Amino acid sequence: MKPALLPWALLLLATAPCPGPGPTADAQESCSMRCGALDGPCSCHPTCSGLGTCCLDFRDFCLEILPYSGSMMGGKDFVVRHFKMSSPTDASVICRFKDSIQTLGHVDSSGQVHCVSPLLYESGRIPFTVSLDNGHSFPRAGTWLAVHPNKVSMMEKSELVNETRWQYYGTANTSGNLSLTWHVKSLPTQTITIELWGYEETGMPYSQEWTAKWSYLYPLATHIPNSGSFTFTPKPAPPSYQRWRVGALRIIDSKNYAGQKDVQALWTNDHALAWHLSDDFREDPVAWARTQCQAWEELEDQLPNFLEELPDCPCTLTQARADSGRFFTDYGCDMEQGSVCTYHPGAVHCVRSVQASLRYGSGQQCCYTADGTQLLTADSSGGSTPDRGHDWGAPPFRTPPRVPSMSHWLYDVLSFYYCCLWAPDCPRYMQRRPSNDCRNYRPPRLASAFGDPHFVTFDGTNFTFNGRGEYVLLEAALTDLRVQARAQPGTMSNGTETRGTGLTAVAVQEGNSDVVEVRLANRTGGLEVLLNQEVLSFTEQSWMDLKGMFLSVAAGDRVSIMLASGAGLEVSVQGPFLSVSVLLPEKFLTHTHGLLGTLNNDPTDDFTLRSGRVLPPGTSPQELFLFGANWTVHNASSLLTYDSWFLVHNFLYQPKHDPTFEPLFPSETTLNPTTGSLSTGTATRVAHQLHQRRMQSLQPVVSCGWLAPPPNGQKEGNRYLAGSTIYFHCDNGYSLAGAETSTCQADGTWSSPTPKCQPGRSYAVLLGIIFGGLAVVAAVALVYVLLRRRKGNTHVWGAQP
């Protein structure tokens, strides 16, 4: 592990409340150009509000904005809170994003400062600064959250009415008018202009010259009333615009000139621009699309093979949903949202790899049927398809194929329209976007801590450690992964502290990633999430792209943290304490230390001290208490936040492990041994059951891989896990040579290879003909006998007359 640097926490030891009257802008008592700083006579660090140590002008220079997020397409007007101009007419506002992208802001009639978010080619938290002197200085700083276009509220964008119709316009039976709608209040102006913008990526792929660009193309309407809807009849665009095949519409105030960048606007979703394509497309869309599909194939054959570096898909739906460190729900096919899987018929749920591949920025997709079987493109056009451009993009963003949404549109979605939707040539697409069949998938390993608190290590060892303090749950030098937790006593109904503790905060960092902390909120009892010691708001967004990780919040009581290494944390509220689960990919084997044990498939060395000494199995609770105390956090490497004087006095100034706190050990326990709380006991049981269910979901399964049907034949079955059987049949005119069935065996091999279908009638058909002929003869004989008997003749068939 790299040596710990002196953290922000130690600087708090020297921080004192800010003295004297309001400071001047160029004094050290000011937060001008000092946001995030702790040094000096007063603080500009986010923790200062809770400690009462902020410079008096903290809110003037360290900006809080509303709204704090919007589409990365830009055009969102936001206001700076807690700050007003005394003479708004004299201010010239310039807002600068990422030190290079500038937009014009303004001051409204009440003196509030406004900025407009720019068109970006990335998602995530974007730093910005504000100038009130026409760009001479930018002393005020804040953060804007740029969001993937598909994660933006419908209130904030224009809607293509029947979007499928827009993207099929000009194909068979799709013509007439198109309409779009929007919320008038989202763009408060009398008249509007509606524009078409196109997206392209030019230059040699994977070279330094490969660039991404949004371009203004032409207006659809100018200076029309802002009524909230617009209908028009599309006409083919002039030839000079035909190279743009994907884009979006933008609605702006008519006072802005056409194509003016970074003004308040509403955008539609990105979509295939079928409606503006040439007459050649409308006259014969299938032939046109086939030509484009062939051109895409030729380009793909020249590009690097990105499939080799993608992660393997989980074999089952339960594995896919449990492996939350590496995979996350695909919003285009989500069983919790009704399984509307437009592009994956037959699937009920898909997941995407969270992290893009390192070299090519590509993504994996895995789709599953209702019975949990992985759906493969080799069996169905609804199967999962990998992506040359990850839909969510990839750092450092901005350059192809790492632009969120748009790179994916160009290299994966638009080609799907060419080959599968506008022309019936889907096998050509699927050949270059084959599903991964999971033979090499290895589930992650799981460890948990919950209740008062109980620990289950990665190798399955169970123990209880009731320390009061801050402790290392996990350290892994492989990626410099650190997970730390704070444990505090519970409180009984009479207000006294219990002799048992539980987790109240968990913090994580990997390498030089952001630091995320999840803790119990004092007033609500729910969760509070901090990013680099600053409390986050999730009132607008439940998903955030952060440095080295993704963050997702569900229903306010469960937080998922997905790290660049594929490791994942889930933190939730269980009773009065936190429950935390840690998922580690197989590459972490032999690389972990801490309270969650040594991941090496050997539970006997899970109680390893910092010195390397191992406590043997059967260690007494008192000795385990010393094991836990050995893994205390040090101030110099603490990831936890101290933003109240209670936390400063009890956890920063004091020893990290409280030596005066004496828990109840099992030999001393009564009915409620530690916390004295029935609710805590119930929550502990529930958390343990959740851990066991997740362990069950993550059990390894054996896959034999996809088995092909025979040429001139078919197969029944699309499940390729151990115990599954595939049945084979031949087409009419062919006979089966080989086994009629093949079963996936426990060693990962098929019991029989795919049989052949040879020309000629099969034995079954021949026997059918033979026995069918005999049946006809027997039937004729029976009729003859019956007729003779009706005439009184007692002779039987074959007897002499």
Side-chain angles (χ1 to χ4, degrees):
M1 181 183 296
K2 64 186 180 186
L5 302 176
L6 187 68
W8 67 275
L10 290 186
L11 291 174
L12 279 177
L13 297 173
T15 303
C18 192
T24 59
D26 58 351
Q28 275 299 299
E29 290 81 7
S30 172
C31 283
S32 175
M33 304 184 74
R34 291 185 59 240
C35 288
L38 273 166
D39 57 316
C42 57
S43 173
C44 302
H45 191 273
T47 56
C48 72
S49 297
L51 295 170
T53 58
C54 297
C55 296
L56 296 183
D57 62 1
F58 175 63
R59 285 299 178 194
D60 290 345
F61 289 96
C62 304
L63 305 180
E64 182 180 330
I65 61 174
L66 188 72
Y68 64 78
S69 67
S71 171
M72 70 181 209
M73 299 298 295
K76 189 67 173 291
D77 175 81
F78 61 86
V79 64
V80 176
R81 306 181 71 190
H82 312 300
F83 174 73
K84 288 191 176 183
M85 296 290 295
S86 56
S87 54
T89 56
D90 297 333
S92 178
V93 181
I94 297 178
C95 309
R96 186 167 65 188
F97 297 78
K98 294 199 73 174
D99 297 325
S100 60
I101 306 168
Q102 294 191 170
T103 66
L104 288 176
H106 71 279
V107 180
D108 64 23
S109 58
S110 67
Q112 288 190 307
V113 175
H114 292 247
C115 289
V116 175
S117 64
L119 170 61
L120 297 164
Y121 294 78
E122 62 185 295
S123 58
R125 287 168 59 87
I126 309 297
F128 74 93
T129 53
V130 176
S131 170
L132 300 179
D133 56 9
N134 202 31
H136 292 291
S137 64
F138 289 83
R140 294 171 168 81
T143 304
W144 170 253
L145 181 63
V147 179
H148 188 292
N150 284 341
K151 291 184 169 68
V152 173
S153 162
M154 288 308 300
M155 286 290 294
E156 300 179 31
K157 56 185 176 182
S158 175
E159 182 177 4
L160 302 173
V161 178
N162 190 351
E163 188 170 328
T164 301
R165 180 178 171 82
W166 283 74
Q167 302 189 123
Y168 277 78
Y169 197 92
T171 62
N173 303 317
T174 309
S175 59
N177 293 335
L178 295 177
S179 299
L180 65 153
T181 60
W182 62 92
H183 293 273
V184 174
K185 292 181 179 179
S186 299
L187 188 63
T189 181
Q190 294 297 314
T191 61
I192 59 161
T193 293
I194 302 175
E195 309 168 330
L196 175 63
W197 287 63
Y199 179 81
E200 62 183 339
E201 294 180 357
T202 58
M204 180 66 69
Y206 302 102
S207 73
Q208 294 294 324
E209 291 74 36
W210 203 9
T211 57
K213 186 178 181 181
W214 275 100
S215 300
Y216 164 71
L217 303 186
Y218 54 83
L220 265 64
T222 59
H223 294 87
I224 63 173
N226 185 11
S227 64
S229 65
F230 175 69
T231 299
F232 71 110
T233 302
K235 296 180 180 179
S240 58
Y241 297 114
Q242 286 297 313
R243 77 171 189 264
W244 283 281
R245 308 287 173 76
V246 62
L249 299 179
R250 188 180 78 153
I251 306 174
I252 60 172
D253 190 329
S254 292
K255 69 181 181 183
N256 300 305
Y257 64 80
Q260 185 173 348
K261 290 186 177 182
D262 305 325
V263 296
Q264 190 174 358
L266 296 176
W267 292 83
T268 66
N269 282 339
D270 320 321
H271 61 282
L273 300 179
W275 56 273
H276 105 139
L277 294 178
S278 65
D279 285 323
D280 290 346
F281 173 74
R282 297 191 181 190
E283 289 169 2
D284 193 343
V286 171
W288 187 95
R290 276 183 165 152
T291 300
Q292 305 306 316
C293 180
Q294 182 177 351
W296 169 77
E297 281 184 308
E298 293 171 357
L299 174 63
E300 278 290 306
D301 291 342
Q302 299 172 25
L303 298 180
N305 182 6
F306 70 93
L307 299 173
E308 295 175 350
E309 65 169 352
L310 292 181
D312 297 293
C313 279
C315 290
T316 66
L317 177 57
T318 54
Q319 283 181 338
R321 301 191 76 191
D323 192 350
S324 58
R326 293 183 288 183
F327 295 92
F328 197 82
T329 298
D330 182 350
Y331 50 77
C333 182
D334 182 359
M335 63 191 307
E336 295 182 6
Q337 301 296 326
S339 296
V340 183
C341 305
T342 305
Y343 299 119
H344 299 281
V348 298
H349 194 74
C350 296
V351 296
R352 290 189 182 276
S353 57
V354 172
Q355 302 291 340
S357 64
L358 288 176
R359 185 175 182 185
Y360 297 121
S362 303
Q364 182 66 279
Q365 185 191 50
C366 315
C367 295
Y368 302 87
T369 63
D371 66 356
T373 300
Q374 187 190 2
L375 190 61
L376 304 180
T377 52
D379 293 325
S380 166
S381 62
S384 48
T385 54
D387 305 317
R388 181 171 291 280
H390 196 299
D391 185 23
W392 304 337
F397 298 108
R398 300 192 65 81
T399 58
R402 298 172 178 271
V403 179
S405 182
M406 301 316 306
S407 293
H408 176 56
W409 257 104
L410 281 188
Y411 299 104
D412 305 297
V413 182
L414 199 57
S415 48
F416 185 77
Y417 275 83
Y418 294 155
C419 302
C420 295
L421 301 183
W422 295 344
D425 287 348
C426 216
R428 297 166 68 181
Y429 180 86
M430 298 304 176
Q431 183 180 352
R432 287 161 175 78
R433 294 292 186 270
S435 300
N436 170 277
D437 69 4
C438 95
R439 272 178 294 180
N440 298 316
Y441 173 74
R442 299 293 181 270
R445 302 294 291 271
L446 175 68
S448 298
F450 47 84
D452 59 344
H454 297 279
F455 295 84
V456 185
T457 70
F458 291 107
D459 290 339
T461 301
N462 291 266
F463 70 99
T464 298
F465 167 61
N466 274 283
R468 180 190 186 277
E470 295 174 351
Y471 305 95
V472 174
L473 296 184
L474 170 65
E475 286 181 351
L478 178 71
T479 61
D480 194 16
L481 171 60
R482 293 177 292 157
V483 183
Q484 302 172 0
R486 178 180 295 137
Q488 295 176 251
T491 304
M492 291 193 290
S493 56
N494 61 6
T496 60
E497 284 190 348
T498 66
R499 290 180 65 184
T501 60
L503 303 185
T504 57
V506 177
V508 60
Q509 183 181 34
E510 186 172 50
N512 65 345
S513 76
D514 285 328
V515 177
V516 167
E517 179 178 347
V518 184
R519 68 186 184 187
L520 289 172
N522 290 332
R523 286 173 290 184
T524 64
L527 291 181
E528 194 170 62
V529 183
L530 297 89
L531 175 65
N532 301 325
Q533 291 79 51
E534 182 178 6
V535 177
L536 289 176
S537 169
F538 290 92
T539 55
E540 297 175 23
Q541 302 296 332
S542 61
W543 173 277
M544 292 189 185
D545 304 2
L546 305 177
K547 182 182 178 182
M549 63 179 70
F550 289 95
L551 181 65
S552 174
V553 174
D557 63 357
R558 188 173 76 254
V559 176
S560 296
I561 304 165
M562 295 147 275
L563 301 167
S565 65
L569 273 75
E570 287 206 3
V571 185
S572 60
V573 178
Q574 295 287 349
F577 297 122
L578 297 180
S579 172
V580 58
S581 296
V582 182
L583 293 155
L584 293 183
E586 199 173 53
K587 66 183 179 183
F588 281 90
L589 272 169
T590 74
H591 291 287
T592 72
H593 304 283
L595 294 185
L596 295 180
T598 306
L599 172 55
N600 61 358
N601 299 318
D602 179 8
T604 64
D605 65 356
D606 277 347
F607 303 137
T608 300
L609 303 176
R610 272 193 163 110
S611 65
R613 186 167 71 91
V614 178
L615 303 182
T619 295
S620 70
Q622 287 79 0
E623 289 176 302
L624 282 179
F625 188 73
L626 296 177
F627 160 72
N630 181 254
W631 282 104
T632 53
V633 170
H634 301 307
N635 271 342
S637 57
S638 175
L639 304 176
L640 294 155
T641 303
Y642 310 93
D643 56 354
S644 71
W645 287 111
F646 171 83
L647 293 174
V648 169
H649 287 304
N650 286 276
F651 294 99
L652 189 61
Y653 289 166
Q654 299 298 322
K656 289 298 187 182
H657 171 74
D658 185 354
T660 67
F661 183 78
E662 296 183 1
L664 280 172
F665 294 109
S667 59
E668 309 172 61
T669 57
T670 55
L671 181 61
N672 285 308
T674 52
T675 63
S677 167
L678 179 61
S679 64
T680 301
T682 301
T684 301
R685 184 176 71 252
V686 170
H688 189 245
Q689 290 171 344
L690 289 172
H691 174 88
Q692 289 178 313
R693 282 201 293 270
R694 193 160 199 171
M695 284 290 294
Q696 186 62 38
S697 297
L698 291 171
Q699 287 300 305
V701 296
V702 174
S703 171
C704 293
W706 181 70
L707 194 61
N712 304 306
Q714 308 93 36
K715 69 174 184 181
E716 293 180 17
N718 61 358
R719 189 174 178 88
Y720 308 111
L721 306 183
S724 303
T725 298
I726 302 295
Y727 299 85
F728 302 101
H729 307 283
C730 290
D731 297 339
N732 288 335
Y734 292 87
S735 61
L736 197 70
E740 294 183 355
T741 65
S742 187
T743 300
C744 179
Q745 301 173 117
D747 63 356
T749 62
W750 290 103
S751 60
S752 303
T754 298
K756 295 181 179 179
C757 288
Q758 299 175 337
R761 291 179 172 176
S762 66
Y763 292 119
V765 172
L766 292 174
L767 289 174
I769 293 173
I770 294 170
F771 284 106
L774 292 175
V776 170
V777 172
V780 171
L782 179 61
V783 170
Y784 179 82
V785 169
L786 292 174
L787 290 173
R788 293 293 298 268
R789 285 181 176 174
R790 288 185 62 185
K791 295 178 180 179
N793 192 331
T794 58
H795 288 289
V796 296
W797 183 263
Q800 294 293 322

